[in-house]
Tab-separated table of all heavy atoms in Angstrom:
chain	number	residue	atom	x	y	z
A	104	MET	N	95.305	123.846	100.362
A	104	MET	CA	96.123	125.022	100.630
A	104	MET	C	97.142	124.741	101.726
A	104	MET	O	98.314	125.118	101.604
A	104	MET	CB	95.226	126.189	101.055
A	104	MET	CG	94.366	126.747	99.960
A	104	MET	SD	93.139	127.903	100.608
A	104	MET	CE	94.165	129.083	101.465
A	105	ILE	N	96.713	124.079	102.789
A	105	ILE	CA	97.615	123.780	103.898
A	105	ILE	C	98.734	122.852	103.438
A	105	ILE	O	99.907	123.035	103.784
A	105	ILE	CB	96.846	123.147	105.076
A	105	ILE	CG1	95.779	124.125	105.605
A	105	ILE	CG2	97.802	122.749	106.197
A	105	ILE	CD1	96.321	125.449	106.088
A	106	ARG	N	98.376	121.836	102.622
A	106	ARG	CA	99.406	120.929	102.114
A	106	ARG	C	100.434	121.679	101.273
A	106	ARG	O	101.645	121.447	101.376
A	106	ARG	CB	98.759	119.807	101.285
A	106	ARG	CG	98.018	118.770	102.119
A	106	ARG	CD	97.585	117.575	101.267
A	106	ARG	NE	96.486	117.887	100.372
A	106	ARG	CZ	95.199	117.632	100.627
A	106	ARG	NH1	94.844	117.079	101.768
A	106	ARG	NH2	94.263	117.924	99.741
A	107	MET	N	99.937	122.586	100.431
A	107	MET	CA	100.839	123.337	99.563
A	107	MET	C	101.757	124.248	100.382
A	107	MET	O	102.981	124.247	100.198
A	107	MET	CB	100.022	124.161	98.561
A	107	MET	CG	100.839	124.927	97.540
A	107	MET	SD	101.322	126.579	98.110
A	107	MET	CE	99.726	127.383	98.143
A	108	MET	N	101.182	125.013	101.307
A	108	MET	CA	101.980	125.940	102.103
A	108	MET	C	102.953	125.200	103.015
A	108	MET	O	104.127	125.575	103.133
A	108	MET	CB	101.062	126.839	102.940
A	108	MET	CG	100.299	127.856	102.130
A	108	MET	SD	99.456	129.083	103.156
A	108	MET	CE	98.265	128.059	104.026
A	109	SER	N	102.482	124.125	103.637
A	109	SER	CA	103.336	123.380	104.567
A	109	SER	C	104.536	122.780	103.846
A	109	SER	O	105.649	122.758	104.382
A	109	SER	CB	102.534	122.262	105.242
A	109	SER	OG	101.465	122.789	106.000
A	110	GLY	N	104.300	122.316	102.630
A	110	GLY	CA	105.400	121.768	101.850
A	110	GLY	C	106.419	122.827	101.474
A	110	GLY	O	107.619	122.557	101.389
A	111	ALA	N	105.939	124.051	101.253
A	111	ALA	CA	106.846	125.152	100.937
A	111	ALA	C	107.659	125.552	102.170
A	111	ALA	O	108.846	125.891	102.066
A	111	ALA	CB	106.047	126.347	100.419
A	112	PHE	N	107.017	125.497	103.359
A	112	PHE	CA	107.700	125.892	104.595
A	112	PHE	C	108.671	124.818	105.082
A	112	PHE	O	109.710	125.130	105.643
A	112	PHE	CB	106.677	126.164	105.700
A	112	PHE	CG	105.663	127.219	105.356
A	112	PHE	CD1	104.393	127.197	105.920
A	112	PHE	CD2	105.962	128.248	104.468
A	112	PHE	CE1	103.451	128.159	105.602
A	112	PHE	CE2	105.017	129.218	104.146
A	112	PHE	CZ	103.761	129.172	104.719
A	113	LEU	N	108.300	123.566	104.895
A	113	LEU	CA	109.129	122.442	105.348
A	113	LEU	C	109.434	121.530	104.153
A	113	LEU	O	108.815	120.476	103.992
A	113	LEU	CB	108.407	121.648	106.452
A	113	LEU	CG	108.153	122.364	107.789
A	113	LEU	CD1	107.310	121.500	108.707
A	113	LEU	CD2	109.478	122.736	108.446
A	114	PRO	N	110.376	121.928	103.314
A	114	PRO	CA	110.647	121.125	102.114
A	114	PRO	C	111.197	119.737	102.418
A	114	PRO	O	111.008	118.813	101.628
A	114	PRO	CB	111.670	121.966	101.349
A	114	PRO	CG	112.258	122.897	102.352
A	114	PRO	CD	111.189	123.165	103.351
A	115	MET	N	111.854	119.588	103.574
A	115	MET	CA	112.323	118.270	103.991
A	115	MET	C	111.274	117.692	104.930
A	115	MET	O	111.298	117.943	106.134
A	115	MET	CB	113.676	118.377	104.707
A	115	MET	CG	114.795	118.900	103.833
A	115	MET	SD	115.311	117.708	102.579
A	115	MET	CE	116.068	116.456	103.601
A	116	GLY	N	110.311	116.951	104.373
A	116	GLY	CA	109.258	116.443	105.238
A	116	GLY	C	108.270	115.562	104.515
A	116	GLY	O	108.443	115.215	103.341
A	117	GLU	N	107.197	115.223	105.233
A	117	GLU	CA	106.161	114.337	104.718
A	117	GLU	C	104.788	114.932	104.996
A	117	GLU	O	104.563	115.543	106.044
A	117	GLU	CB	106.248	112.951	105.375
A	117	GLU	CG	107.540	112.192	105.106
A	117	GLU	CD	107.663	111.720	103.670
A	117	GLU	OE1	106.609	111.571	103.009
A	117	GLU	OE2	108.797	111.506	103.213
A	118	ASP	N	103.861	114.731	104.052
A	118	ASP	CA	102.461	115.140	104.225
A	118	ASP	C	101.622	113.964	104.709
A	118	ASP	O	101.820	112.823	104.259
A	118	ASP	CB	101.859	115.599	102.890
A	118	ASP	CG	102.364	116.957	102.466
A	118	ASP	OD1	102.553	117.826	103.332
A	118	ASP	OD2	102.562	117.154	101.248
A	119	TYR	N	100.670	114.271	105.584
A	119	TYR	CA	99.691	113.273	106.011
A	119	TYR	C	98.330	113.948	106.105
A	119	TYR	O	98.207	115.032	106.694
A	119	TYR	CB	100.049	112.703	107.391
A	119	TYR	CG	101.364	111.960	107.436
A	119	TYR	CD1	102.532	112.618	107.813
A	119	TYR	CD2	101.437	110.607	107.114
A	119	TYR	CE1	103.749	111.950	107.866
A	119	TYR	CE2	102.642	109.922	107.168
A	119	TYR	CZ	103.789	110.597	107.541
A	119	TYR	OH	104.990	109.923	107.596
A	120	THR	N	97.322	113.329	105.510
A	120	THR	CA	95.957	113.841	105.604
A	120	THR	C	95.044	112.726	106.105
A	120	THR	O	95.095	111.605	105.608
A	120	THR	CB	95.446	114.327	104.230
A	120	THR	OG1	96.319	115.344	103.735
A	120	THR	CG2	94.038	114.909	104.365
A	121	PHE	N	94.242	113.070	107.111
A	121	PHE	CA	93.251	112.140	107.643
A	121	PHE	C	91.884	112.814	107.586
A	121	PHE	O	91.763	114.003	107.892
A	121	PHE	CB	93.562	111.765	109.095
A	121	PHE	CG	94.870	111.032	109.280
A	121	PHE	CD1	96.039	111.732	109.551
A	121	PHE	CD2	94.920	109.648	109.186
A	121	PHE	CE1	97.234	111.066	109.719
A	121	PHE	CE2	96.120	108.973	109.358
A	121	PHE	CZ	97.281	109.680	109.622
A	122	TRP	N	90.860	112.043	107.224
A	122	TRP	CA	89.496	112.571	107.179
A	122	TRP	C	88.621	111.826	108.171
A	122	TRP	O	88.726	110.606	108.321
A	122	TRP	CB	88.902	112.401	105.778
A	122	TRP	CG	89.704	113.039	104.695
A	122	TRP	CD1	89.745	114.359	104.363
A	122	TRP	CD2	90.588	112.379	103.778
A	122	TRP	NE1	90.600	114.557	103.293
A	122	TRP	CE2	91.131	113.363	102.920
A	122	TRP	CE3	90.973	111.041	103.598
A	122	TRP	CZ2	92.022	113.066	101.914
A	122	TRP	CZ3	91.878	110.745	102.585
A	122	TRP	CH2	92.398	111.750	101.762
A	123	GLY	N	87.717	112.555	108.809
A	123	GLY	CA	86.718	111.916	109.667
A	123	GLY	C	87.095	111.965	111.136
A	123	GLY	O	88.024	112.645	111.526
A	124	LYS	N	86.292	111.242	111.948
A	124	LYS	CA	85.192	110.421	111.469
A	124	LYS	C	84.043	111.316	111.017
A	124	LYS	O	83.680	112.261	111.712
A	124	LYS	CB	84.716	109.472	112.572
A	124	LYS	CG	83.536	108.632	112.153
A	124	LYS	CD	83.068	107.706	113.269
A	124	LYS	CE	81.851	106.889	112.797
A	124	LYS	NZ	81.367	105.985	113.860
A	125	GLY	N	83.487	110.964	109.853
A	125	GLY	CA	82.398	111.774	109.388
A	125	GLY	C	81.791	111.265	108.101
A	125	GLY	O	82.286	110.323	107.484
A	126	VAL	N	80.709	111.921	107.723
A	126	VAL	CA	79.980	111.548	106.517
A	126	VAL	C	80.631	112.207	105.306
A	126	VAL	O	80.795	113.422	105.270
A	126	VAL	CB	78.500	111.987	106.620
A	126	VAL	CG1	77.779	111.727	105.305
A	126	VAL	CG2	77.809	111.273	107.764
A	127	SER	N	81.005	111.410	104.338
A	127	SER	CA	81.505	111.939	103.075
A	127	SER	C	80.344	112.060	102.106
A	127	SER	O	79.715	111.064	101.751
A	127	SER	CB	82.577	111.014	102.484
A	127	SER	OG	82.837	111.376	101.150
A	128	GLN	N	80.060	113.300	101.676
A	128	GLN	CA	78.944	113.503	100.752
A	128	GLN	C	79.210	112.834	99.411
A	128	GLN	O	78.324	112.213	98.825
A	128	GLN	CB	78.719	115.006	100.540
A	128	GLN	CG	78.296	115.723	101.802
A	128	GLN	CD	78.356	117.225	101.622
A	128	GLN	OE1	77.353	117.842	101.280
A	128	GLN	NE2	79.508	117.824	101.836
A	129	GLY	N	80.445	112.957	98.909
A	129	GLY	CA	80.763	112.372	97.619
A	129	GLY	C	80.661	110.861	97.623
A	129	GLY	O	80.110	110.256	96.696
A	130	HIS	N	81.165	110.227	98.675
A	130	HIS	CA	81.109	108.771	98.764
A	130	HIS	C	79.678	108.283	99.026
A	130	HIS	O	79.275	107.239	98.525
A	130	HIS	CB	82.051	108.266	99.860
A	130	HIS	CG	83.498	108.360	99.466
A	130	HIS	ND1	84.169	109.555	99.440
A	130	HIS	CD2	84.383	107.409	99.063
A	130	HIS	CE1	85.418	109.333	99.046
A	130	HIS	NE2	85.574	108.049	98.804
A	131	SER	N	78.929	109.055	99.805
A	131	SER	CA	77.525	108.687	100.043
A	131	SER	C	76.734	108.779	98.744
A	131	SER	O	75.914	107.916	98.428
A	131	SER	CB	76.901	109.604	101.108
A	131	SER	OG	77.545	109.439	102.355
A	132	ASP	N	76.997	109.837	97.981
A	132	ASP	CA	76.339	110.004	96.684
A	132	ASP	C	76.695	108.836	95.762
A	132	ASP	O	75.845	108.311	95.040
A	132	ASP	CB	76.776	111.330	96.059
A	132	ASP	CG	76.119	111.605	94.716
A	132	ASP	OD1	74.884	111.699	94.665
A	132	ASP	OD2	76.842	111.710	93.716
A	133	ALA	N	77.951	108.411	95.813
A	133	ALA	CA	78.400	107.320	94.944
A	133	ALA	C	77.698	106.002	95.280
A	133	ALA	O	77.294	105.267	94.374
A	133	ALA	CB	79.919	107.155	95.063
A	134	ILE	N	77.532	105.695	96.575
A	134	ILE	CA	76.878	104.421	96.901
A	134	ILE	C	75.384	104.476	96.581
A	134	ILE	O	74.784	103.464	96.222
A	134	ILE	CB	77.114	103.978	98.369
A	134	ILE	CG1	76.501	104.944	99.380
A	134	ILE	CG2	78.574	103.754	98.647
A	134	ILE	CD1	76.600	104.447	100.817
A	135	ARG	N	74.785	105.654	96.661
A	135	ARG	CA	73.348	105.766	96.344
A	135	ARG	C	73.082	105.541	94.865
A	135	ARG	O	71.945	105.289	94.465
A	135	ARG	CB	72.808	107.124	96.793
A	135	ARG	CG	72.644	107.253	98.304
A	135	ARG	CD	71.830	108.474	98.682
A	135	ARG	NE	72.524	109.717	98.421
A	135	ARG	CZ	73.271	110.375	99.308
A	135	ARG	NH1	73.452	109.860	100.525
A	135	ARG	NH2	73.850	111.509	98.989
A	136	ARG	N	74.126	105.648	94.050
A	136	ARG	CA	73.983	105.433	92.607
A	136	ARG	C	74.263	103.988	92.188
A	136	ARG	O	74.146	103.651	91.013
A	136	ARG	CB	74.897	106.399	91.845
A	136	ARG	CG	74.468	107.856	92.021
A	136	ARG	CD	75.481	108.824	91.428
A	136	ARG	NE	75.129	110.203	91.764
A	136	ARG	CZ	74.326	110.975	91.043
A	136	ARG	NH1	73.778	110.509	89.948
A	136	ARG	NH2	74.063	112.207	91.413
A	137	VAL	N	74.602	103.139	93.144
A	137	VAL	CA	74.831	101.728	92.843
A	137	VAL	C	73.491	101.048	92.574
A	137	VAL	O	72.496	101.305	93.262
A	137	VAL	CB	75.554	101.038	94.023
A	137	VAL	CG1	75.583	99.524	93.843
A	137	VAL	CG2	76.978	101.584	94.145
A	138	ASN	N	73.443	100.205	91.567
A	138	ASN	CA	72.215	99.504	91.206
A	138	ASN	C	71.677	98.698	92.388
A	138	ASN	O	72.402	97.911	92.991
A	138	ASN	CB	72.495	98.566	90.019
A	138	ASN	CG	71.227	98.001	89.433
A	138	ASN	OD1	70.222	98.691	89.317
A	138	ASN	ND2	71.263	96.729	89.067
A	139	GLY	N	70.399	98.915	92.721
A	139	GLY	CA	69.772	98.193	93.815
A	139	GLY	C	69.780	98.932	95.141
A	139	GLY	O	69.176	98.479	96.115
A	140	VAL	N	70.454	100.084	95.199
A	140	VAL	CA	70.514	100.868	96.432
A	140	VAL	C	69.405	101.923	96.436
A	140	VAL	O	69.280	102.713	95.508
A	140	VAL	CB	71.889	101.553	96.597
A	140	VAL	CG1	71.873	102.507	97.787
A	140	VAL	CG2	72.984	100.509	96.765
A	141	LYS	N	68.603	101.905	97.484
A	141	LYS	CA	67.524	102.881	97.642
A	141	LYS	C	68.025	104.142	98.347
A	141	LYS	O	67.666	105.261	97.997
A	141	LYS	CB	66.373	102.261	98.439
A	141	LYS	CG	65.154	103.152	98.605
A	141	LYS	CD	64.072	102.430	99.404
A	141	LYS	CE	62.841	103.304	99.590
A	141	LYS	NZ	61.825	102.631	100.446
A	142	ASN	N	68.860	103.945	99.352
A	142	ASN	CA	69.408	105.067	100.111
A	142	ASN	C	70.662	104.584	100.826
A	142	ASN	O	70.889	103.379	100.949
A	142	ASN	CB	68.384	105.591	101.122
A	142	ASN	CG	68.616	107.058	101.483
A	142	ASN	OD1	69.689	107.611	101.201
A	142	ASN	ND2	67.638	107.686	102.093
A	143	GLY	N	71.477	105.521	101.281
A	143	GLY	CA	72.680	105.096	101.966
A	143	GLY	C	73.537	106.260	102.413
A	143	GLY	O	73.370	107.392	101.956
A	144	ILE	N	74.450	105.956	103.317
A	144	ILE	CA	75.362	106.969	103.833
A	144	ILE	C	76.693	106.306	104.132
A	144	ILE	O	76.751	105.117	104.439
A	144	ILE	CB	74.764	107.647	105.092
A	144	ILE	CG1	75.430	108.996	105.359
A	144	ILE	CG2	74.822	106.726	106.314
A	144	ILE	CD1	74.642	109.873	106.320
A	145	GLN	N	77.783	107.065	103.975
A	145	GLN	CA	79.118	106.509	104.172
A	145	GLN	C	79.917	107.334	105.162
A	145	GLN	O	79.923	108.559	105.090
A	145	GLN	CB	79.868	106.458	102.842
A	145	GLN	CG	81.151	105.690	102.889
A	145	GLN	CD	82.432	106.499	103.124
A	145	GLN	OE1	83.523	105.986	103.036
A	145	GLN	NE2	82.313	107.786	103.427
A	146	TYR	N	80.562	106.648	106.106
A	146	TYR	CA	81.424	107.300	107.086
A	146	TYR	C	82.886	106.980	106.772
A	146	TYR	O	83.244	105.816	106.551
A	146	TYR	CB	81.110	106.822	108.501
A	146	TYR	CG	79.746	107.219	108.992
A	146	TYR	CD1	78.637	106.409	108.756
A	146	TYR	CD2	79.550	108.408	109.699
A	146	TYR	CE1	77.377	106.765	109.205
A	146	TYR	CE2	78.285	108.771	110.162
A	146	TYR	CZ	77.206	107.948	109.905
A	146	TYR	OH	75.959	108.304	110.357
A	147	THR	N	83.706	108.022	106.771
A	147	THR	CA	85.147	107.853	106.664
A	147	THR	C	85.724	107.869	108.071
A	147	THR	O	85.432	108.787	108.850
A	147	THR	CB	85.769	108.992	105.837
A	147	THR	OG1	85.137	109.024	104.550
A	147	THR	CG2	87.257	108.809	105.665
A	148	VAL	N	86.522	106.859	108.409
A	148	VAL	CA	87.020	106.703	109.779
A	148	VAL	C	88.546	106.639	109.759
A	148	VAL	O	89.129	105.713	109.184
A	148	VAL	CB	86.467	105.415	110.428
A	148	VAL	CG1	86.893	105.332	111.894
A	148	VAL	CG2	84.937	105.355	110.303
A	149	PRO	N	89.236	107.624	110.384
A	149	PRO	CA	90.700	107.565	110.429
A	149	PRO	C	91.159	106.480	111.393
A	149	PRO	O	90.496	106.194	112.386
A	149	PRO	CB	91.101	108.952	110.933
A	149	PRO	CG	89.914	109.453	111.679
A	149	PRO	CD	88.705	108.829	111.043
A	150	VAL	N	92.290	105.875	111.089
A	150	VAL	CA	92.871	104.855	111.962
A	150	VAL	C	93.686	105.567	113.043
A	150	VAL	O	94.680	106.244	112.742
A	150	VAL	CB	93.750	103.878	111.156
A	150	VAL	CG1	94.419	102.871	112.078
A	150	VAL	CG2	92.907	103.171	110.088
């Protein structure tokens, strides 16, 4: 929503999205489904 509204307010511009640092549930779920993985967790870290 913020990306959509911000683009409407500032049509001459650039979007940037950063996530983290934190646990991504979707990415953690994905690594737990890899063959040979018993458990796991993934952190997304912005530069």
Side-chain angles (χ1 to χ4, degrees):
M104 290 170 56
I105 299 301
R106 287 189 287 263
M107 184 272 292
M108 289 190 295
S109 298
F112 303 152
L113 294 174
M115 297 289 291
E117 297 290 336
D118 286 323
Y119 297 94
T120 302
F121 297 92
W122 303 281
K124 178 181 179 180
V126 174
S127 167
Q128 296 169 94
H130 287 75
S131 296
D132 181 61
I134 64 174
R135 286 193 291 267
R136 294 172 187 272
V137 170
N138 190 39
V140 173
K141 183 180 180 184
N142 205 345
I144 200 164
Q145 190 265 188
Y146 294 89
T147 303
V148 185
V150 177

